[in-house]
Amino acid sequence: MENDLTYRQEGDFLLPELEVETPSTLGKYGRMRERYLREERPVLYNRLILSGKLAGHLTEIEQAANRRLELMMPELKKSMGLTEELKAQNPMNWVGLMNNAKAKAEEMILSELIYQ
C-alpha cells in the first residue's frame, strides 16, 4: 500500500499532513459515528484516516442505519397500533406514538451501529 503523505517538522518529530475527507452527503448517522470515533475511539479514528477508509466507513454506517430504520419502523408501527384509522381519528395521539416509535428505533440503531 502506497501512501502519498507529506510531513511537517515539529521539533524533533515529523508529523503527517492529513486531510480528513468526509462525504458532503453524509447524514445524521454518519456524522454521529464520526463524532463518536473522534471523541471516544481516537485510535480507530486515526487508523481509518491514515488508511483512507474513513469516508467509506462513515458512508457504510449511514446507509446501514437508514436501511435498519426503514426495516424497523413498519414493525414498530404495527406493534404499537399505528394505523391510518388512528391517524384519522386521533392525530395528536398518532403523532405522539409515531415519535415514540422513531425514538425507540433510533435508540436501537445508536447502540447497534453508532456507539459500538
Side-chain angles (χ1 to χ4, degrees):
M1 182 167 115
E2 185 178 313
N3 283 332
D4 295 328
L5 291 177
T6 57
Y7 295 86
R8 72 178 189 281
Q9 186 80 34
E10 290 284 333
D12 293 338
F13 301 99
L14 287 175
L15 300 176
E17 296 283 346
L18 301 175
E19 291 183 29
V20 179
E21 293 183 26
T22 57
S24 60
T25 58
L26 203 57
K28 171 183 174 178
Y29 300 112
R31 290 190 314 269
M32 291 172 79
R33 177 67 174 174
E34 180 183 20
R35 185 175 56 246
Y36 169 74
L37 291 174
R38 187 176 58 247
E39 294 174 1
E40 304 296 330
R41 305 278 307 273
V43 173
L44 177 57
Y45 181 71
N46 288 327
R47 187 178 306 146
L48 289 168
I49 290 171
L50 290 171
S51 67
K53 296 179 181 177
L54 180 64
H57 173 76
L58 297 175
T59 301
E60 183 179 326
I61 291 292
E62 177 74 28
Q63 292 170 349
N66 284 321
R67 279 192 308 268
R68 185 88 170 103
L69 184 62
E70 287 176 19
L71 290 172
M72 291 170 64
M73 283 306 291
E75 294 172 16
L76 286 170
K77 286 167 59 174
K78 184 177 179 182
S79 71
M80 296 175 80
L82 284 159
T83 62
E84 290 299 315
E85 184 178 307
L86 176 64
K87 184 178 181 180
Q89 291 175 353
N90 192 343
M92 293 303 287
N93 187 35
W94 184 87
V95 168
L97 289 172
M98 185 62 112
N99 286 340
N100 288 342
K102 186 159 186 189
K104 189 178 212 178
E106 285 191 337
E107 185 177 320
M108 288 188 263
I109 289 169
L110 294 178
S111 67
E112 293 173 3
L113 294 172
I114 308 300
Y115 303 135
Q116 59 146 349

